[in-house]
Amino acid sequence: MLQRILWSLVLLLQCQSRDRWTTQLSQHLCQSEDQVISATRTLANSGFHKDLTTNLELDEIPRAFLLENTTSHFYMDIDQIKEGLFLGYPPVFPDDPIDVEQPADSSPAHIVGVLCETHHVTLPVHHRYQPAGSQPYSSVCIPFPRVFIPVVTPEDYSDLELGMEQMEEERGCKLLRAPCGVNSFPECGWEEVAVVGVQEVCSSVPVGLTQDLPIVQISALAAVFIGFSAIVYVMFCRKEKSKAT
């Protein structure tokens, strides 16, 4: 819990609010004029915990930056990913702190930036609990991310901000400002690239049945009552014992 609080404070100090990605995505972003990449994607494992694997055919492009929309049905545990960097997980940059406990019907969608320094990226994603329904399973999907490639980098520009401003003025569009590396800063300029051969990936998630709700509610109330009664009984016995001595 303390680690999550500290991570939330870090995000606030770095001004990583929802505006970081959502505001930029609302702008007219620069599109690559000569690059088209192909990609494939899979969602593996059963149950609530999945491995989301993305394969990008980037050819000579050194790296890419993905903007993942987790929707309200999935979440990424940022702490888990950061602790698993040595396992090969890529650096991730969420739009704001992610509440991993919220169910799907009360959670907002999140946008998570993913820095891909290889052409093969796997991320752990998790289903959120779905509201009860009439069927035991529900199919939920996660869309393919928007993909960006670097055009203003420290290797080519000593002043990144000036380089991005000049390129934006020349092209009449906005570059995505996103991390150049594992740290949030400095930010490079990225242009969006068209991706072919991709589609959303879907998965079935267990759902509680509506007709079972009364039984669950009664059982929960009974368990609480029994537990409370046991506590009261133990306290009463100890009090009587102390009186006797």
Side-chain angles (χ1 to χ4, degrees), residues 39-69:
T40 58
R41 196 168 223 206
T42 58
L43 193 59
N45 297 342
S46 59
F48 281 84
H49 310 290
K50 307 288 186 180
D51 284 335
L52 180 64
T53 299
T54 306
N55 296 293
L56 302 169
E57 295 184 13
L58 298 174
D59 296 327
E60 301 302 320
I61 303 171
R63 57 190 181 275
F65 195 86
L66 312 182
L67 286 182
E68 293 274 8
N69 183 347

Side-chain angles (χ1 to χ4, degrees), residues 203-220:
S203 171
S204 294
V205 58
V207 175
L209 296 177
T210 307
Q211 58 264 35
D212 293 339
L213 280 178
I215 298 176
V216 173
Q217 292 170 340
I218 293 172
S219 300

